[in-house]
Amino acid sequence: MRKAIIAGAIAILLAPITSFAAGGAKMKITSSAFQEGANIPSKFSCDGANTSPPLQISDVPSEAKSLVLIVDDPDAPSGLFTHWTVWNISPQTSTIAEGSTPKGMQGTNDFGKSGYGGPCPPSGTHRYYFKIFALDRELDLPFGAKRGQLDAAMKGHVIAQGELMGRYSRKK
């Protein structure tokens, strides 16, 4: 029963994201640190330096006015757990260097801090999604806004999106 409730809650939380770019174009987000579906190196986790991995962004639509970066873990025991949010990133941004933050506004992650919080699953292997969204406008959100506020502000403005999924499990 508990698993069914958690699965239902996750589906409800993910519904706004999947509806953002219904029919929208596809973008690419990749990393030289790990491939799609592969393990994320521990240096990018709470077990290592806890710095963000290098990211490359491509296929941004020419009409994009801003980009949004979201990193989350849908496998967290409490449901979707947000590790990083940055919005109002220039659509000309094609690389985000290791350990750096793109110019834009950062939100508060589910660790209660702004900035990147690396993978840190309590048990098992979790999936971490690095998502990039192209918007038709900049967002009017204050620094430190929470994920729900970001999702609401993005609704109806996503013109393209892409994602990169990596896995991580802690070595105990």
Side-chain angles (χ1 to χ4, degrees):
M1 179 71 172
R2 184 168 182 239
K3 286 184 180 180
I5 292 170
I6 290 171
I10 290 171
I12 290 168
L13 288 169
L14 292 177
I17 296 291
T18 56
S19 66
F20 280 151
K26 288 287 183 190
M27 294 171 43
K28 289 182 185 166
I29 181 167
T30 58
S31 178
S32 58
F34 64 95
Q35 299 298 311
E36 171 67 29
N39 291 327
I40 298 170
S42 64
K43 75 188 248 181
F44 304 112
S45 76
C46 66
D47 295 321
N50 207 23
T51 61
S52 58
L55 299 170
Q56 296 79 42
I57 302 163
S58 59
D59 299 337
V60 176
S62 59
E63 65 271 21
K65 302 287 189 257
S66 71
L67 301 177
V68 174
L69 174 65
I70 298 174
V71 179
D72 57 30
D73 169 10
D75 301 321
S78 60
L80 187 68
F81 192 92
T82 302
H83 287 257
W84 197 18
T85 57
V86 187
W87 61 90
N88 292 347
I89 301 167
S90 167
Q92 283 74 44
T93 302
S94 61
T95 60
I96 301 169
E98 178 178 319
S100 72
T101 300
K103 287 186 181 179
M105 299 289 283
Q106 290 195 76
T108 300
N109 61 32
D110 285 337
F111 293 110
K113 301 175 180 177
S114 67
Y116 175 81
C120 199
S123 64
T125 300
H126 286 218
R127 297 168 296 155
Y128 295 87
Y129 288 87
F130 292 73
K131 301 173 186 173
I132 193 74
F133 298 90
L135 307 184
D136 63 4
R137 70 179 190 127
E138 288 194 346
L139 300 177
D140 186 21
L141 284 174
F143 181 89
K146 296 195 182 260
R147 173 69 182 270
Q149 295 170 287
L150 177 58
D151 288 347
M154 288 172 59
K155 192 168 178 99
H157 296 285
V158 176
I159 57 176
Q161 69 182 40
E163 71 179 27
L164 168 67
M165 187 273 289
R167 300 175 190 276
Y168 188 74
S169 58
R170 299 186 74 187
K171 279 94 176 143
K172 298 199 175 192

